[in-house]
Amino acid sequence: MPSKKTDVTVQLVKYQKKELELKALLEITQAINENKSAAVLFDIFKFTCLVHLNIKSILLYMSNYDHFEKKISHGIKSKVPDAILSEKINFDKASGELNIEVGEGFSFAELENYLPVFHKEKMLAILFLKKKDEKEDLDLDFTQALTNIMVVALENKRFAKRQLEQERLNKEMEIASNVQRMLFPAVLPQTDKLKAKVTYIPHSTVGGDYYDLIQKSEEEVFFCIADVSGKGMPAALLMSNFQAALRTLLRSSSDLKMIVEQLNYTIFDNTKGERFITFFLGYYNYKKRELTYVNAGHNPPVLCWEGEKRTETLGAGTTVLGAFEELPFLEVGKRNHLKGFTLHLYTDGLTESFDKNEKEYGDDRFNQFVKSNLCLDPSVFHQLFFEELRIFSTGGEQRDDITLLSLRLQ
């Protein structure tokens, strides 16, 4: 029968153990409450386990999307991987058995215990341990609880960081969207000489399409449409620079060849060939009844000759802007003796609309629609066309920005 002295000794050891555990818990929770960095939390956790608990060696892996990263390693003699693919880890909750597929030369054999950490069915971490004193027990329940507190706190910290990053991104997108709206003309003309109508349907908050109409004088009008490669803030900033350069050039010259060459140089200089812009620039002189244009790799606009009741596409020009430091070729298209005409400029998002069976609307279908609806008021044309496109694409998914700019000049 054990003596009273032995009972007191056992109780004292248990008390001291609980006191150490409480101290360990206090240090971790205090660090969490003080919002210490992940690196500091890992150091405190490692120190707490090695000093206050009966732990000699410790190895901690934490989940990071599709893999687990090694975060703590102390007292490990064998070689262990820095990262393990999530698909290589299998834990059977019923049996408590953990299986990890690792490459040749790696081993966890020296570590006696493992503790998986879960949160809502998702494994967040795996803790491997080796006892310091074989004669003393290792309180696995407490160790797991302590690990759980730290890991969940770190996961919450990471989630909060992602939220802040998402909020920052949303703010940037909002700014980019506002910048983009400022690039577009606020009002399009509705006069006897010129009627214009645009329909712009962005794929996301910030699109890559751009259109503009500049009346330089009573007798001169410029109009353009463009599509920037890429989306989001980079595309919006490039488009902003492009518009500023275009408007500056148009104030000083009506030479389309010079304007397009300068725009190409500006884009290439800014992006070093990593981004490009498809672009169509047109210029009409009412007095001369002359249309000149350059198509830089853009979808050819459809020109409707009002007197002759026929259509044609305007493809003369050059390649996309920004791909080469110098444009390899450049042709300025010209049409004379225009008594009146309608012009439909559009981006590829319009013709690359798909129906529920993944069938593309296509350029041919659009050209046929134009031929069937010649010389209409632009507003009427848009109403009829977008009803057709809506019916066609019902059940399909919009994949790009859609822009249609229609002009009727008399």
Side-chain angles (χ1 to χ4, degrees):
M1 184 174 179
S3 64
K4 288 184 180 181
K5 187 176 181 181
T6 303
D7 288 342
V8 170
T9 303
V10 170
Q11 291 297 323
L12 183 61
V13 169
K14 286 182 178 180
Y15 175 78
Q16 288 174 338
K17 185 180 177 182
K18 289 295 179 186
E19 191 175 29
L20 288 174
E21 288 180 350
L22 183 62
K23 190 174 182 181
L25 182 63
L26 202 62
E27 287 179 354
I28 285 290
T29 53
Q30 186 176 350
I32 292 170
N33 290 335
E34 290 175 357
N35 199 27
K36 299 290 187 183
S37 68
V40 171
L41 283 176
F42 286 133
D43 285 342
I44 292 174
F45 178 79
K46 181 175 74 172
F47 176 82
T48 298
C49 289
L50 297 174
V51 174
H52 298 318
L53 306 179
N54 184 29
I55 294 172
K56 178 182 179 182
S57 304
I58 182 171
L59 178 64
L60 177 69
Y61 286 91
M62 277 193 65
S63 173
N64 187 12
Y65 301 106
D66 62 344
H67 66 283
F68 280 70
E69 288 182 5
K70 182 175 69 177
K71 295 297 184 181
I72 298 174
S73 179
H74 180 85
I76 312 297
K77 295 179 181 178
S78 55
K79 189 179 178 183
V80 295
D82 292 328
I84 309 168
L85 289 174
S86 301
E87 62 189 36
K88 301 292 184 182
I89 300 173
N90 182 45
F91 179 71
D92 188 338
K93 282 190 173 182
S95 63
E97 187 176 344
L98 177 70
N99 290 309
I100 302 177
E101 294 179 38
V102 291
E104 190 176 345
F106 295 116
S107 174
F108 300 106
E110 69 174 279
L111 296 155
E112 303 158 342
N113 304 99
Y114 55 80
L115 299 172
V117 178
F118 284 87
H119 181 64
K120 295 181 179 179
E121 300 302 314
K122 180 187 176 184
M123 184 185 285
L124 298 181
I126 308 170
L127 180 68
F128 294 91
L129 302 168
K130 184 177 182 180
K131 288 197 295 185
K132 189 185 298 181
D133 189 343
E134 292 295 330
K135 295 178 183 179
E136 290 185 24
D137 291 331
L138 180 61
D139 193 337
L140 293 177
D141 289 337
F142 175 78
T143 306
Q144 186 158 32
L146 193 67
T147 310
N148 218 323
I149 289 169
M150 182 197 68
V151 168
V152 171
L154 287 171
E155 187 70 10
N156 289 338
K157 187 189 287 285
R158 186 165 65 178
F159 177 74
K161 185 180 178 181
R162 281 202 302 267
Q163 275 193 315
L164 285 173
E165 288 175 351
Q166 187 60 49
E167 288 173 9
R168 178 182 58 79
L169 181 61
N170 291 341
K171 189 65 178 175
E172 284 184 359
M173 295 296 278
E174 184 184 343
I175 293 169
S177 180
N178 291 334
V179 167
Q180 191 174 53
R181 279 197 296 270
M182 290 167 63
L183 299 182
F184 299 140
V187 180
L188 292 175
Q190 296 292 325
T191 66
D192 293 336
K193 292 177 70 174
L194 172 59
K195 289 186 178 181
K197 169 68 177 178
V198 69
T199 300
Y200 170 59
I201 308 171
H203 172 252
S204 56
T205 307
V206 180
D209 287 2
Y210 166 67
Y211 62 89
D212 210 344
L213 190 148
I214 303 109
Q215 293 189 276
K216 192 171 183 179
S217 69
E218 286 292 321
E219 301 298 333
E220 297 175 291
V221 60
F222 287 93
F223 42 86
C224 69
I225 193 165
D227 189 355
V228 181
S229 64
K231 296 288 182 284
M233 182 65 86
L237 290 174
L238 179 58
M239 191 58 84
S240 176
N241 290 334
F242 178 79
Q243 191 235 31
L246 173 62
R247 293 222 163 194
T248 300
L249 289 166
L250 292 180
R251 277 196 294 270
S252 59
S253 175
S254 298
D255 183 345
L256 298 193
K257 184 175 183 295
M258 184 277 291
I259 291 168
V260 171
E261 285 176 337
Q262 286 297 314
L263 287 172
N264 177 72
Y265 175 79
T266 300
I267 298 163
F268 186 86
D269 188 52
N270 286 338
T271 67
K272 307 305 178 190
E274 293 181 2
R275 288 183 178 272
F276 61 87
I277 296 178
T278 67
F279 178 57
F280 178 92
L281 176 62
Y283 166 68
Y284 183 65
N285 188 299
Y286 288 95
K287 191 174 182 179
K288 294 180 180 180
R289 290 192 300 163
E290 181 182 82
L291 168 68
T292 53
Y293 68 91
V294 173
N295 188 334
H298 198 79
N299 302 79
V302 184
L303 172 66
C304 309
W305 293 71
E306 197 155 302
E308 302 177 32
K309 300 290 183 181
R310 66 182 176 92
T311 67
E312 67 169 307
T313 55
L314 304 180
T318 183
T319 186
V320 297
L321 304 184
F324 304 97
E325 188 170 5
E326 291 185 13
L327 293 170
F329 58 90
L330 203 165
E331 177 188 0
V332 177
K334 186 179 289 188
R335 297 293 181 272
N336 294 309
H337 312 299
L338 292 164
K339 296 179 181 179
F341 65 93
T342 303
L343 188 62
H344 300 291
L345 304 88
Y346 61 96
T347 57
D348 56 11
L350 184 148
T351 52
E352 291 175 6
S353 296
F354 292 85
D355 66 8
K356 61 182 179 182
N357 299 316
E358 291 293 298
K359 187 177 180 180
E360 189 179 72
Y361 186 79
D363 293 279
D364 291 341
R365 197 188 302 264
F366 179 68
N367 289 334
Q368 188 56 50
F369 182 88
V370 174
K371 288 177 183 178
S372 303
N373 296 273
L374 287 171
C375 307
L376 290 180
D377 180 280
S379 295
V380 175
F381 181 88
H382 278 232
Q383 183 180 352
L384 294 173
F385 171 72
F386 281 99
E387 178 60 19
E388 172 170 298
L389 188 65
R390 183 191 66 79
I391 293 170
F392 173 84
S393 58
T394 297
E397 182 183 353
Q398 183 183 343
R399 301 175 185 179
D400 200 358
D401 309 317
I402 296 173
T403 304
L404 174 62
L405 174 62
S406 300
L407 311 171
R408 191 176 184 189
L409 295 99
Q410 300 291 333

PDB file of all heavy atoms in Angstrom, residues 334-345:
ATOM      1  N   LYS A 334      -8.987  54.194 -98.021  1.00  0.00           N
ATOM      2  CA  LYS A 334      -9.680  55.431 -98.394  1.00  0.00           C
ATOM      3  C   LYS A 334     -10.933  55.114 -99.208  1.00  0.00           C
ATOM      4  O   LYS A 334     -10.931  54.235-100.064  1.00  0.00           O
ATOM      5  CB  LYS A 334      -8.742  56.330 -99.211  1.00  0.00           C
ATOM      6  CG  LYS A 334      -9.304  57.703 -99.536  1.00  0.00           C
ATOM      7  CD  LYS A 334      -8.310  58.549-100.322  1.00  0.00           C
ATOM      8  CE  LYS A 334      -7.140  58.977 -99.452  1.00  0.00           C
ATOM      9  NZ  LYS A 334      -6.259  59.949-100.154  1.00  0.00           N
ATOM     10  N   ARG A 335     -12.018  55.851 -98.904  1.00  0.00           N
ATOM     11  CA  ARG A 335     -13.249  55.765 -99.691  1.00  0.00           C
ATOM     12  C   ARG A 335     -13.695  57.196-100.016  1.00  0.00           C
ATOM     13  O   ARG A 335     -13.842  58.023 -99.114  1.00  0.00           O
ATOM     14  CB  ARG A 335     -14.348  55.027 -98.907  1.00  0.00           C
ATOM     15  CG  ARG A 335     -14.036  53.584 -98.576  1.00  0.00           C
ATOM     16  CD  ARG A 335     -13.971  52.718 -99.828  1.00  0.00           C
ATOM     17  NE  ARG A 335     -13.685  51.325 -99.483  1.00  0.00           N
ATOM     18  CZ  ARG A 335     -12.469  50.811 -99.354  1.00  0.00           C
ATOM     19  NH1 ARG A 335     -11.408  51.589 -99.520  1.00  0.00           N
ATOM     20  NH2 ARG A 335     -12.304  49.541 -99.072  1.00  0.00           N
ATOM     21  N   ASN A 336     -13.954  57.445-101.295  1.00  0.00           N
ATOM     22  CA  ASN A 336     -14.314  58.796-101.748  1.00  0.00           C
ATOM     23  C   ASN A 336     -15.776  58.853-102.201  1.00  0.00           C
ATOM     24  O   ASN A 336     -16.427  57.831-102.405  1.00  0.00           O
ATOM     25  CB  ASN A 336     -13.410  59.226-102.904  1.00  0.00           C
ATOM     26  CG  ASN A 336     -11.966  59.377-102.475  1.00  0.00           C
ATOM     27  OD1 ASN A 336     -11.680  60.053-101.495  1.00  0.00           O
ATOM     28  ND2 ASN A 336     -11.048  58.758-103.202  1.00  0.00           N
ATOM     29  N   HIS A 337     -16.262  60.088-102.382  1.00  0.00           N
ATOM     30  CA  HIS A 337     -17.586  60.355-102.945  1.00  0.00           C
ATOM     31  C   HIS A 337     -18.711  59.691-102.149  1.00  0.00           C
ATOM     32  O   HIS A 337     -19.650  59.147-102.714  1.00  0.00           O
ATOM     33  CB  HIS A 337     -17.646  59.892-104.413  1.00  0.00           C
ATOM     34  CG  HIS A 337     -16.485  60.366-105.234  1.00  0.00           C
ATOM     35  ND1 HIS A 337     -16.212  61.706-105.431  1.00  0.00           N
ATOM     36  CD2 HIS A 337     -15.511  59.671-105.890  1.00  0.00           C
ATOM     37  CE1 HIS A 337     -15.115  61.812-106.176  1.00  0.00           C
ATOM     38  NE2 HIS A 337     -14.679  60.605-106.480  1.00  0.00           N
ATOM     39  N   LEU A 338     -18.581  59.762-100.837  1.00  0.00           N
ATOM     40  CA  LEU A 338     -19.620  59.193 -99.975  1.00  0.00           C
ATOM     41  C   LEU A 338     -20.727  60.227 -99.763  1.00  0.00           C
ATOM     42  O   LEU A 338     -20.487  61.285 -99.175  1.00  0.00           O
ATOM     43  CB  LEU A 338     -19.016  58.765 -98.623  1.00  0.00           C
ATOM     44  CG  LEU A 338     -18.049  57.574 -98.661  1.00  0.00           C
ATOM     45  CD1 LEU A 338     -17.249  57.503 -97.378  1.00  0.00           C
ATOM     46  CD2 LEU A 338     -18.793  56.276 -98.879  1.00  0.00           C
ATOM     47  N   LYS A 339     -21.929  59.916-100.228  1.00  0.00           N
ATOM     48  CA  LYS A 339     -23.053  60.825-100.031  1.00  0.00           C
ATOM     49  C   LYS A 339     -23.660  60.660 -98.638  1.00  0.00           C
ATOM     50  O   LYS A 339     -24.272  61.568 -98.095  1.00  0.00           O
ATOM     51  CB  LYS A 339     -24.125  60.555-101.092  1.00  0.00           C
ATOM     52  CG  LYS A 339     -23.669  60.845-102.508  1.00  0.00           C
ATOM     53  CD  LYS A 339     -24.763  60.527-103.506  1.00  0.00           C
ATOM     54  CE  LYS A 339     -24.290  60.803-104.936  1.00  0.00           C
ATOM     55  NZ  LYS A 339     -25.337  60.476-105.926  1.00  0.00           N
ATOM     56  N   GLY A 340     -23.504  59.505 -98.124  1.00  0.00           N
ATOM     57  CA  GLY A 340     -24.005  59.191 -96.794  1.00  0.00           C
ATOM     58  C   GLY A 340     -23.703  57.725 -96.524  1.00  0.00           C
ATOM     59  O   GLY A 340     -23.698  56.910 -97.455  1.00  0.00           O
ATOM     60  N   PHE A 341     -23.403  57.382 -95.301  1.00  0.00           N
ATOM     61  CA  PHE A 341     -23.068  55.980 -95.019  1.00  0.00           C
ATOM     62  C   PHE A 341     -23.308  55.668 -93.541  1.00  0.00           C
ATOM     63  O   PHE A 341     -23.401  56.567 -92.689  1.00  0.00           O
ATOM     64  CB  PHE A 341     -21.620  55.675 -95.404  1.00  0.00           C
ATOM     65  CG  PHE A 341     -20.592  56.419 -94.586  1.00  0.00           C
ATOM     66  CD1 PHE A 341     -20.025  55.869 -93.455  1.00  0.00           C
ATOM     67  CD2 PHE A 341     -20.180  57.697 -94.970  1.00  0.00           C
ATOM     68  CE1 PHE A 341     -19.071  56.544 -92.723  1.00  0.00           C
ATOM     69  CE2 PHE A 341     -19.221  58.385 -94.243  1.00  0.00           C
ATOM     70  CZ  PHE A 341     -18.673  57.813 -93.108  1.00  0.00           C
ATOM     71  N   THR A 342     -23.406  54.375 -93.284  1.00  0.00           N
ATOM     72  CA  THR A 342     -23.493  53.881 -91.912  1.00  0.00           C
ATOM     73  C   THR A 342     -22.302  52.967 -91.683  1.00  0.00           C
ATOM     74  O   THR A 342     -21.919  52.192 -92.572  1.00  0.00           O
ATOM     75  CB  THR A 342     -24.800  53.091 -91.678  1.00  0.00           C
ATOM     76  OG1 THR A 342     -25.905  53.926 -92.004  1.00  0.00           O
ATOM     77  CG2 THR A 342     -24.913  52.658 -90.230  1.00  0.00           C
ATOM     78  N   LEU A 343     -21.720  53.058 -90.504  1.00  0.00           N
ATOM     79  CA  LEU A 343     -20.542  52.260 -90.178  1.00  0.00           C
ATOM     80  C   LEU A 343     -20.753  51.583 -88.827  1.00  0.00           C
ATOM     81  O   LEU A 343     -21.143  52.233 -87.856  1.00  0.00           O
ATOM     82  CB  LEU A 343     -19.304  53.166 -90.118  1.00  0.00           C
ATOM     83  CG  LEU A 343     -17.941  52.488 -89.980  1.00  0.00           C
ATOM     84  CD1 LEU A 343     -17.668  51.587 -91.179  1.00  0.00           C
ATOM     85  CD2 LEU A 343     -16.839  53.540 -89.860  1.00  0.00           C
ATOM     86  N   HIS A 344     -20.524  50.281 -88.795  1.00  0.00           N
ATOM     87  CA  HIS A 344     -20.659  49.512 -87.553  1.00  0.00           C
ATOM     88  C   HIS A 344     -19.280  49.002 -87.128  1.00  0.00           C
ATOM     89  O   HIS A 344     -18.661  48.189 -87.820  1.00  0.00           O
ATOM     90  CB  HIS A 344     -21.610  48.332 -87.747  1.00  0.00           C
ATOM     91  CG  HIS A 344     -22.995  48.728 -88.158  1.00  0.00           C
ATOM     92  ND1 HIS A 344     -23.852  49.393 -87.303  1.00  0.00           N
ATOM     93  CD2 HIS A 344     -23.672  48.574 -89.332  1.00  0.00           C
ATOM     94  CE1 HIS A 344     -24.999  49.619 -87.928  1.00  0.00           C
ATOM     95  NE2 HIS A 344     -24.913  49.134 -89.155  1.00  0.00           N
ATOM     96  N   LEU A 345     -18.782  49.510 -85.997  1.00  0.00           N
ATOM     97  CA  LEU A 345     -17.502  49.086 -85.436  1.00  0.00           C
ATOM     98  C   LEU A 345     -17.795  48.212 -84.217  1.00  0.00           C
ATOM     99  O   LEU A 345     -18.647  48.562 -83.385  1.00  0.00           O
ATOM    100  CB  LEU A 345     -16.649  50.280 -85.016  1.00  0.00           C
ATOM    101  CG  LEU A 345     -16.331  51.350 -86.064  1.00  0.00           C
ATOM    102  CD1 LEU A 345     -17.416  52.414 -86.117  1.00  0.00           C
ATOM    103  CD2 LEU A 345     -14.991  52.017 -85.746  1.00  0.00           C
TER     104      LEU A 345
END
